[in-house]
Amino acid sequence: WDETHFGKMGSYYINRTFFFDVHPPLGKMLIGLAGYLSGYDGTFPFQKPGDRYEQHNYIGMRGVRLCRLVSRWFAFLCLSIQVLELSKSLPAALLTAFILIFDTGCITLSQYILLDPILMFFLMAAVLSMVKCNSCADRPFSASWWLWLSLTGVSLAGAMGVKFVGLFVVLLVGLNTVYDLWDLLGNLSLSLVMFGKHLLARVLCLIVLPLALYTAIFAVHFAVLNRSGPGDGFFSSAFQSQLIGNNLHNVSVPE
């Protein structure tokens, strides 16, 4: 059923037809983009699960499963590094890696047009970036430190932009940041000015940057979907007047 739902959402983006859905738009935009780049024309109706695709080129939208392959690699790095750092045990890290490699749940999810592989990609990218940034703690404000801190913020925006459960990784990164800042505040050899620079860097990369990107995702969403569709009725008359094909299109609507 979910493949039918999200496949239809991808078709809406290809046809630039406005719709309303409970999830943020990034994952569905990526599904639509994958379908468009692979030659899918957005004409399959996606009416009910089990309908045959026939001549329609749907493989591109399922091709977003490449995100799953990359996220497995991220997860392999994250879990192996974290277990090795926490336990100082190479066998424990190897066991964790093998458990992940043979996880068939991720493989099953990747066979269909779903948001979960895309969400996993951004979740694992955020955790990996956080871990790599922590490993650069002995050289703050270096190029690599800024790179991983910024990539953490970008990944947080991506996770929130796919599904709202991405807020859990925001919580994880937030708790890690609070612990890090608390540790820095207790460092008597660190001046308050330098602590202020650390705080400002995290505010910019982990709060301002993700919020800006998250807002930009919705800006692209509304710019692409400029034609009337099944989601019109949820919005005001003034908004509907901007949609091509709507009865109120270009009609003067009082505030």
Side-chain angles (χ1 to χ4, degrees):
W1 185 89
D2 278 353
E3 177 170 78
T4 302
H5 177 70
F6 294 119
K8 182 179 291 186
M9 302 298 104
S11 298
Y12 283 149
Y13 279 105
I14 293 175
N15 296 318
R16 307 192 67 174
T17 303
F18 188 78
F19 68 94
F20 179 79
D21 190 52
V22 296
H23 298 297
L26 179 59
K28 292 164 291 188
M29 281 198 291
L30 292 176
I31 290 173
L33 178 63
Y36 175 79
L37 293 178
S38 61
Y40 171 60
D41 57 6
T43 57
F44 187 73
F46 286 101
Q47 290 181 345
K48 64 181 184 297
D51 285 347
R52 294 186 178 276
Y53 290 105
E54 302 297 345
Q55 77 281 5
H56 295 278
N57 188 4
Y58 66 96
I59 297 297
M61 291 193 290
R62 283 184 173 176
V64 182
R65 65 176 179 265
L66 291 174
C67 289
R68 188 268 305 176
L69 298 176
V70 179
S71 66
R72 291 286 289 277
W73 177 69
F74 283 166
F76 179 86
L77 290 177
C78 292
L79 293 177
S80 300
I81 292 173
Q82 285 179 321
V83 172
L84 188 60
E85 288 182 352
L86 292 173
S87 66
K88 306 300 181 184
S89 170
L90 182 59
L94 290 175
L95 176 62
T96 304
F98 278 116
I99 290 174
L100 179 66
I101 289 172
F102 294 107
D103 177 17
T104 57
C106 293
I107 298 175
T108 303
L109 281 177
S110 68
Q111 302 306 308
Y112 304 100
I113 305 171
L114 299 174
L115 299 182
D116 302 271
I118 307 173
L119 176 65
M120 288 177 61
F121 169 81
F122 286 111
L123 291 177
M124 299 314 301
V127 176
L128 176 62
S129 300
M130 181 188 72
V131 171
K132 296 294 288 184
C133 184
N134 289 343
S135 68
C136 298
D138 57 339
R139 49 185 189 280
F141 305 109
S142 62
S144 58
W145 186 86
W146 277 111
L147 172 65
W148 290 114
L149 188 63
S150 300
L151 287 178
T152 304
V154 172
S155 302
L156 292 180
M160 290 188 300
V162 175
K163 276 188 174 183
F164 287 121
V165 293
L167 288 171
F168 284 105
V169 79
V170 175
L171 177 62
L172 173 65
V173 174
L175 291 175
N176 177 78
T177 303
V178 169
Y179 175 82
D180 189 28
L181 289 173
W182 181 256
D183 188 55
L184 290 172
L185 187 62
N187 186 353
L188 298 180
S189 64
L190 193 70
S191 67
L192 286 178
V193 174
M194 186 58 66
F195 175 79
K197 291 181 179 180
H198 276 278
L199 177 61
L200 181 61
R202 286 159 175 79
V203 169
L204 289 175
C205 293
L206 301 180
I207 297 179
V208 177
L209 178 60
L211 288 178
L213 291 175
Y214 185 75
T215 305
I217 291 170
F218 276 91
V220 174
H221 168 76
F222 286 113
V224 171
L225 303 182
N226 63 352
R227 299 182 181 277
S228 180
D232 296 15
F234 292 99
F235 293 83
S236 66
S237 300
F239 178 81
Q240 293 182 45
S241 67
Q242 303 173 29
L243 298 175
I244 299 173
N246 190 283
N247 293 332
L248 299 176
H249 182 55
N250 286 336
V251 175
S252 177
V253 180
E255 290 293 335

